[in-house]
Every structure is written in structure tokens, then in C-alpha cells.
Amino acid sequence: MTAERLLVIVEDDEAFAKTLKRSFERRGYEVLTAASHGALEDVLKDNRPGYAVVDLKLGPESGLVCVQTLHAHDPDMLIVVLTGFASIATAVEAIKLGATNYLAKPSNTDDIEAAFARSGGDPAAPLAPRPTSIKTLEWEHIHEVLKDCDFNISETARRLGMHRRTLARKLAKRQVG
């Protein structure tokens, strides 16, 4: 297949992958999906996509390996990395490995298409600091550990070194969703 409007989505969340796929198909893309690095390699055997959307965290795997594979397959491919756990370190690594952009979730199809269009970078990007509060950092860390524990409150509390009821109170203040 030609790369003109062929997109590959590498995402382990089946529901999100289906939603993203339908949305891109409505915009005229032909969409292929892969849930892991191995599945991506199978897709690339017979296809040459021009676009890719890669989730940074694919279960136990890192999406960065997929970025590297995609870039090696076609250095001109436009690759956007999506993540619910954005960090400067992973953004830098994704760009070094060949991603053209890096977006924090939640992102929609409009955001992703805009990221494909901004693949060249913007030297006029604002340099204003974006401070993050301690509460936000704590919440993000709790949520990451909670997800790693398959939303098991007791195991999450144990890994965080806090009482289960304390964690439950913190979660009740700011709903997961």
C-alpha cells in the first residue's frame, strides 16, 4: 500500500484504538492497527505507512521501541507519540528516535493531525514556564502507580508506602477518570 494516506496506530487499549481508527477513516485515511511491537513488525512487512500514532506505554513494552522501528522502516514517516504519562525525558528520547511530535493524553484526532502538520518545529514557540503544583505531581504519580497495579487500591497503597484509607481519601478528593 502507498504511504499517501496510510496510517498505523500502535495502541494496546483496544477501545481507544478503535475510536481513533474510525475517526481517522472518516477523514480519509486508511488505518492499520497494532497492539504491540511484534504486531507492528507484522504490519510493516506488507505496508509502508506515511503516518503513525504510537502509545508510549504498551502494557509491559515501551512504545519507544516502536518509534525506532517505524523510523528505521521509513525515515520520512510522520510519527506522533501519545502518552498519559508525559515527561521531558521520554519526549526527548521519542524525538531522538524519530518521532515528529509528542502529545499528552487526552488528545483527539484534531490534535494528532495538527501534530502531523507541525512536524518541522516552531522556532517562535513561547518559552513561558508552565509550573506544576506539588498536588498535581502527587496525583499523577498516584495515578501511574494505580494503573500499574491494575487499579488495586491495597497494592497501590503498599507500593506508595501509605495506608490504604489515606489513599482512598486522596482518590475520593479527585476522581479517577
Side-chain angles (χ1 to χ4, degrees):
M1 286 184 215
T2 64
E4 193 167 315
R5 295 290 278 183
L6 183 59
L7 166 76
V8 63
I9 297 171
V10 185
E11 172 65 62
D12 61 339
D13 180 341
E14 191 176 329
F16 183 64
K18 281 182 182 179
T19 301
L20 211 52
K21 179 180 179 182
R22 280 193 303 268
S23 185
F24 273 106
E25 286 174 340
R26 274 181 269 169
R27 292 170 184 244
Y29 289 84
E30 187 171 345
V31 182
L32 305 167
T33 59
S36 66
H37 183 256
L40 173 64
E41 287 179 322
D42 291 341
V43 166
L44 294 178
K45 286 178 186 173
D46 301 321
N47 301 286
R48 193 168 180 85
Y51 303 89
V53 177
V54 180
D55 186 15
L56 185 63
K57 197 167 186 178
L58 298 168
E61 296 180 333
S62 169
L64 293 176
V65 175
C66 295
V67 171
Q68 186 176 34
T69 299
L70 288 163
H71 185 68
H73 184 72
D74 181 0
D76 295 327
M77 186 184 308
L78 299 177
I79 305 166
V80 172
V81 174
L82 288 180
T83 182
F85 307 101
S87 74
I88 293 171
T90 55
V92 169
E93 290 306 316
I95 300 302
K96 282 181 180 178
L97 292 170
T100 51
N101 225 311
Y102 182 96
L103 299 174
K105 288 181 182 177
S107 294
N108 59 29
T109 311
D110 291 332
D111 299 331
I112 296 167
E113 272 198 322
F116 286 144
R118 290 190 316 266
S119 63
D122 180 9
L127 300 176
R130 187 176 149 213
T132 303
S133 71
I134 298 289
K135 285 185 179 185
T136 301
L137 289 173
E138 177 188 46
W139 175 253
E140 289 172 354
H141 181 64
I142 288 171
H143 194 280
E144 185 173 345
V145 174
L146 187 62
K147 185 175 183 239
D148 289 344
C149 295
D150 293 325
F151 296 91
N152 180 317
I153 302 291
S154 297
E155 177 62 18
T156 301
R158 187 188 67 72
R159 288 188 188 181
L160 292 171
M162 69 172 66
H163 196 278
R164 188 189 59 74
R165 279 186 260 159
T166 302
L167 176 59
R169 279 193 299 274
K170 287 180 181 284
L171 292 172
K173 288 181 183 178
R174 196 166 170 186
Q175 294 296 316
V176 176

mmCIF file with all atom_site columns, all heavy atoms in Angstrom, residues 38-49:
data_model
loop_
_atom_site.group_PDB
_atom_site.id
_atom_site.type_symbol
_atom_site.label_atom_id
_atom_site.label_alt_id
_atom_site.label_comp_id
_atom_site.label_asym_id
_atom_site.label_entity_id
_atom_site.label_seq_id
_atom_site.pdbx_PDB_ins_code
_atom_site.Cartn_x
_atom_site.Cartn_y
_atom_site.Cartn_z
_atom_site.occupancy
_atom_site.B_iso_or_equiv
_atom_site.pdbx_formal_charge
_atom_site.auth_seq_id
_atom_site.auth_comp_id
_atom_site.auth_asym_id
_atom_site.auth_atom_id
_atom_site.pdbx_PDB_model_num
ATOM 1  N N   . GLY A 1 38 ? 5.588  -6.550  18.246 1.00 0.00 ? 38 GLY A N   1
ATOM 2  C CA  . GLY A 1 38 ? 5.537  -7.703  17.352 1.00 0.00 ? 38 GLY A CA  1
ATOM 3  C C   . GLY A 1 38 ? 4.459  -7.553  16.288 1.00 0.00 ? 38 GLY A C   1
ATOM 4  O O   . GLY A 1 38 ? 4.681  -7.852  15.108 1.00 0.00 ? 38 GLY A O   1
ATOM 5  N N   . ALA A 1 39 ? 3.287  -7.090  16.699 1.00 0.00 ? 39 ALA A N   1
ATOM 6  C CA  . ALA A 1 39 ? 2.190  -6.874  15.752 1.00 0.00 ? 39 ALA A CA  1
ATOM 7  C C   . ALA A 1 39 ? 2.551  -5.770  14.756 1.00 0.00 ? 39 ALA A C   1
ATOM 8  O O   . ALA A 1 39 ? 2.201  -5.850  13.574 1.00 0.00 ? 39 ALA A O   1
ATOM 9  C CB  . ALA A 1 39 ? 0.911  -6.522  16.503 1.00 0.00 ? 39 ALA A CB  1
ATOM 10 N N   . LEU A 1 40 ? 3.258  -4.760  15.229 1.00 0.00 ? 40 LEU A N   1
ATOM 11 C CA  . LEU A 1 40 ? 3.695  -3.682  14.341 1.00 0.00 ? 40 LEU A CA  1
ATOM 12 C C   . LEU A 1 40 ? 4.649  -4.215  13.271 1.00 0.00 ? 40 LEU A C   1
ATOM 13 O O   . LEU A 1 40 ? 4.528  -3.871  12.098 1.00 0.00 ? 40 LEU A O   1
ATOM 14 C CB  . LEU A 1 40 ? 4.380  -2.571  15.138 1.00 0.00 ? 40 LEU A CB  1
ATOM 15 C CG  . LEU A 1 40 ? 5.026  -1.459  14.299 1.00 0.00 ? 40 LEU A CG  1
ATOM 16 C CD1 . LEU A 1 40 ? 3.973  -0.694  13.504 1.00 0.00 ? 40 LEU A CD1 1
ATOM 17 C CD2 . LEU A 1 40 ? 5.822  -0.523  15.186 1.00 0.00 ? 40 LEU A CD2 1
ATOM 18 N N   . GLU A 1 41 ? 5.579  -5.057  13.677 1.00 0.00 ? 41 GLU A N   1
ATOM 19 C CA  . GLU A 1 41 ? 6.518  -5.639  12.704 1.00 0.00 ? 41 GLU A CA  1
ATOM 20 C C   . GLU A 1 41 ? 5.771  -6.429  11.636 1.00 0.00 ? 41 GLU A C   1
ATOM 21 O O   . GLU A 1 41 ? 6.122  -6.369  10.458 1.00 0.00 ? 41 GLU A O   1
ATOM 22 C CB  . GLU A 1 41 ? 7.549  -6.521  13.418 1.00 0.00 ? 41 GLU A CB  1
ATOM 23 C CG  . GLU A 1 41 ? 8.560  -5.710  14.198 1.00 0.00 ? 41 GLU A CG  1
ATOM 24 C CD  . GLU A 1 41 ? 9.575  -6.564  14.942 1.00 0.00 ? 41 GLU A CD  1
ATOM 25 O OE1 . GLU A 1 41 ? 9.183  -7.631  15.477 1.00 0.00 ? 41 GLU A OE1 1
ATOM 26 O OE2 . GLU A 1 41 ? 10.747 -6.162  14.982 1.00 0.00 ? 41 GLU A OE2 1
ATOM 27 N N   . ASP A 1 42 ? 4.716  -7.147  12.026 1.00 0.00 ? 42 ASP A N   1
ATOM 28 C CA  . ASP A 1 42 ? 3.900  -7.884  11.055 1.00 0.00 ? 42 ASP A CA  1
ATOM 29 C C   . ASP A 1 42 ? 3.208  -6.929  10.078 1.00 0.00 ? 42 ASP A C   1
ATOM 30 O O   . ASP A 1 42 ? 3.157  -7.185  8.881  1.00 0.00 ? 42 ASP A O   1
ATOM 31 C CB  . ASP A 1 42 ? 2.850  -8.749  11.769 1.00 0.00 ? 42 ASP A CB  1
ATOM 32 C CG  . ASP A 1 42 ? 3.467  -9.922  12.524 1.00 0.00 ? 42 ASP A CG  1
ATOM 33 O OD1 . ASP A 1 42 ? 4.624  -10.292 12.216 1.00 0.00 ? 42 ASP A OD1 1
ATOM 34 O OD2 . ASP A 1 42 ? 2.791  -10.453 13.427 1.00 0.00 ? 42 ASP A OD2 1
ATOM 35 N N   . VAL A 1 43 ? 2.687  -5.826  10.586 1.00 0.00 ? 43 VAL A N   1
ATOM 36 C CA  . VAL A 1 43 ? 2.019  -4.830  9.740  1.00 0.00 ? 43 VAL A CA  1
ATOM 37 C C   . VAL A 1 43 ? 3.000  -4.229  8.737  1.00 0.00 ? 43 VAL A C   1
ATOM 38 O O   . VAL A 1 43 ? 2.678  -4.023  7.568  1.00 0.00 ? 43 VAL A O   1
ATOM 39 C CB  . VAL A 1 43 ? 1.386  -3.709  10.613 1.00 0.00 ? 43 VAL A CB  1
ATOM 40 C CG1 . VAL A 1 43 ? 0.989  -2.505  9.777  1.00 0.00 ? 43 VAL A CG1 1
ATOM 41 C CG2 . VAL A 1 43 ? 0.181  -4.246  11.375 1.00 0.00 ? 43 VAL A CG2 1
ATOM 42 N N   . LEU A 1 44 ? 4.227  -3.967  9.189  1.00 0.00 ? 44 LEU A N   1
ATOM 43 C CA  . LEU A 1 44 ? 5.214  -3.306  8.327  1.00 0.00 ? 44 LEU A CA  1
ATOM 44 C C   . LEU A 1 44 ? 5.779  -4.228  7.245  1.00 0.00 ? 44 LEU A C   1
ATOM 45 O O   . LEU A 1 44 ? 6.391  -3.735  6.286  1.00 0.00 ? 44 LEU A O   1
ATOM 46 C CB  . LEU A 1 44 ? 6.352  -2.726  9.169  1.00 0.00 ? 44 LEU A CB  1
ATOM 47 C CG  . LEU A 1 44 ? 5.966  -1.581  10.107 1.00 0.00 ? 44 LEU A CG  1
ATOM 48 C CD1 . LEU A 1 44 ? 7.167  -1.133  10.916 1.00 0.00 ? 44 LEU A CD1 1
ATOM 49 C CD2 . LEU A 1 44 ? 5.362  -0.413  9.335  1.00 0.00 ? 44 LEU A CD2 1
ATOM 50 N N   . LYS A 1 45 ? 5.580  -5.535  7.365  1.00 0.00 ? 45 LYS A N   1
ATOM 51 C CA  . LYS A 1 45 ? 6.078  -6.468  6.344  1.00 0.00 ? 45 LYS A CA  1
ATOM 52 C C   . LYS A 1 45 ? 5.450  -6.190  4.983  1.00 0.00 ? 45 LYS A C   1
ATOM 53 O O   . LYS A 1 45 ? 6.113  -6.276  3.960  1.00 0.00 ? 45 LYS A O   1
ATOM 54 C CB  . LYS A 1 45 ? 5.799  -7.914  6.751  1.00 0.00 ? 45 LYS A CB  1
ATOM 55 C CG  . LYS A 1 45 ? 6.699  -8.421  7.850  1.00 0.00 ? 45 LYS A CG  1
ATOM 56 C CD  . LYS A 1 45 ? 6.343  -9.845  8.233  1.00 0.00 ? 45 LYS A CD  1
ATOM 57 C CE  . LYS A 1 45 ? 7.166  -10.280 9.429  1.00 0.00 ? 45 LYS A CE  1
ATOM 58 N NZ  . LYS A 1 45 ? 6.739  -11.585 9.948  1.00 0.00 ? 45 LYS A NZ  1
ATOM 59 N N   . ASP A 1 46 ? 4.159  -5.842  4.979  1.00 0.00 ? 46 ASP A N   1
ATOM 60 C CA  . ASP A 1 46 ? 3.422  -5.669  3.722  1.00 0.00 ? 46 ASP A CA  1
ATOM 61 C C   . ASP A 1 46 ? 2.958  -4.237  3.475  1.00 0.00 ? 46 ASP A C   1
ATOM 62 O O   . ASP A 1 46 ? 2.258  -3.996  2.490  1.00 0.00 ? 46 ASP A O   1
ATOM 63 C CB  . ASP A 1 46 ? 2.193  -6.592  3.713  1.00 0.00 ? 46 ASP A CB  1
ATOM 64 C CG  . ASP A 1 46 ? 2.558  -8.048  3.872  1.00 0.00 ? 46 ASP A CG  1
ATOM 65 O OD1 . ASP A 1 46 ? 3.576  -8.466  3.293  1.00 0.00 ? 46 ASP A OD1 1
ATOM 66 O OD2 . ASP A 1 46 ? 1.826  -8.776  4.589  1.00 0.00 ? 46 ASP A OD2 1
ATOM 67 N N   . ASN A 1 47 ? 3.277  -3.313  4.350  1.00 0.00 ? 47 ASN A N   1
ATOM 68 C CA  . ASN A 1 47 ? 2.751  -1.952  4.236  1.00 0.00 ? 47 ASN A CA  1
ATOM 69 C C   . ASN A 1 47 ? 3.842  -0.919  4.455  1.00 0.00 ? 47 ASN A C   1
ATOM 70 O O   . ASN A 1 47 ? 4.819  -1.175  5.150  1.00 0.00 ? 47 ASN A O   1
ATOM 71 C CB  . ASN A 1 47 ? 1.639  -1.736  5.274  1.00 0.00 ? 47 ASN A CB  1
ATOM 72 C CG  . ASN A 1 47 ? 0.504  -2.710  5.086  1.00 0.00 ? 47 ASN A CG  1
ATOM 73 O OD1 . ASN A 1 47 ? -0.275 -2.583  4.162  1.00 0.00 ? 47 ASN A OD1 1
ATOM 74 N ND2 . ASN A 1 47 ? 0.419  -3.706  5.953  1.00 0.00 ? 47 ASN A ND2 1
ATOM 75 N N   . ARG A 1 48 ? 3.616  0.251   3.881  1.00 0.00 ? 48 ARG A N   1
ATOM 76 C CA  . ARG A 1 48 ? 4.548  1.364   4.036  1.00 0.00 ? 48 ARG A CA  1
ATOM 77 C C   . ARG A 1 48 ? 3.749  2.621   4.413  1.00 0.00 ? 48 ARG A C   1
ATOM 78 O O   . ARG A 1 48 ? 3.495  3.480   3.575  1.00 0.00 ? 48 ARG A O   1
ATOM 79 C CB  . ARG A 1 48 ? 5.324  1.576   2.748  1.00 0.00 ? 48 ARG A CB  1
ATOM 80 C CG  . ARG A 1 48 ? 6.495  2.481   2.909  1.00 0.00 ? 48 ARG A CG  1
ATOM 81 C CD  . ARG A 1 48 ? 7.399  2.407   1.670  1.00 0.00 ? 48 ARG A CD  1
ATOM 82 N NE  . ARG A 1 48 ? 8.532  3.267   1.818  1.00 0.00 ? 48 ARG A NE  1
ATOM 83 C CZ  . ARG A 1 48 ? 9.659  2.934   2.436  1.00 0.00 ? 48 ARG A CZ  1
ATOM 84 N NH1 . ARG A 1 48 ? 9.780  1.753   2.977  1.00 0.00 ? 48 ARG A NH1 1
ATOM 85 N NH2 . ARG A 1 48 ? 10.656 3.789   2.516  1.00 0.00 ? 48 ARG A NH2 1
ATOM 86 N N   . PRO A 1 49 ? 3.346  2.700   5.685  1.00 0.00 ? 49 PRO A N   1
ATOM 87 C CA  . PRO A 1 49 ? 2.541  3.862   6.102  1.00 0.00 ? 49 PRO A CA  1
ATOM 88 C C   . PRO A 1 49 ? 3.358  5.154   6.096  1.00 0.00 ? 49 PRO A C   1
ATOM 89 O O   . PRO A 1 49 ? 4.564  5.137   6.306  1.00 0.00 ? 49 PRO A O   1
ATOM 90 C CB  . PRO A 1 49 ? 2.098  3.504   7.521  1.00 0.00 ? 49 PRO A CB  1
ATOM 91 C CG  . PRO A 1 49 ? 3.059  2.468   7.981  1.00 0.00 ? 49 PRO A CG  1
ATOM 92 C CD  . PRO A 1 49 ? 3.573  1.770   6.771  1.00 0.00 ? 49 PRO A CD  1
#
